[in-house]
Amino acid sequence: MDNRSWLARRLLPGGDEPDPRFSLANERTFLAWIRTALALLAGGIAVEAFAVDIFEPTVRKGIAVLLIMLGMFVSGGAFMRWLGVERAMRHSRPLPLPLIAPVLGVGGAISAAVLLIFILFTAP
């Protein structure tokens, strides 16, 4: 009989229980992605709240929205990544690719490019 909770049975059906060390490593990776998401959210809020005198409103809002959207995506992607890895381990399948990593890299590069262009072309 399966002694897991109904949620665990629903999210992680079938397969064999993986080594707890691997599940805990997967959880630590999930938490690292969540920390990154929180940092992006905080960065977006900080840009909007404290960069009033530095950036024009359109640029400031654009950067803030981009950072907050990246934070939202990374947060949701972290859960999907955790779930995919956990399912793969339970069924002895290869681990899925981390799709949130390239999106985070591209989003960070776009944010940095906007800031760089703004600094280069608006500095006195």
Side-chain angles (χ1 to χ4, degrees), residues 47-63:
V47 166
E48 181 58 28
F50 301 117
V52 175
D53 297 334
I54 300 171
F55 301 113
E56 294 182 25
T58 306
V59 173
R60 188 182 73 242
K61 285 194 184 303
I63 294 169

Side-chain angles (χ1 to χ4, degrees), residues 71-122:
M72 289 171 38
F73 180 79
V74 168
S75 182
F79 173 72
M80 297 308 295
R81 170 77 179 156
W82 171 83
L83 188 60
V85 168
E86 198 67 28
R87 285 177 177 168
M89 288 190 301
R90 290 178 166 279
H91 296 280
S92 299
R93 292 189 311 246
L95 298 181
L97 289 174
L99 297 177
I100 55 178
V103 170
L104 182 59
V106 169
I110 290 171
S111 296
V114 169
L115 287 170
L116 183 62
I117 289 168
F118 183 78
I119 290 168
L120 289 174
F121 292 110
T122 61

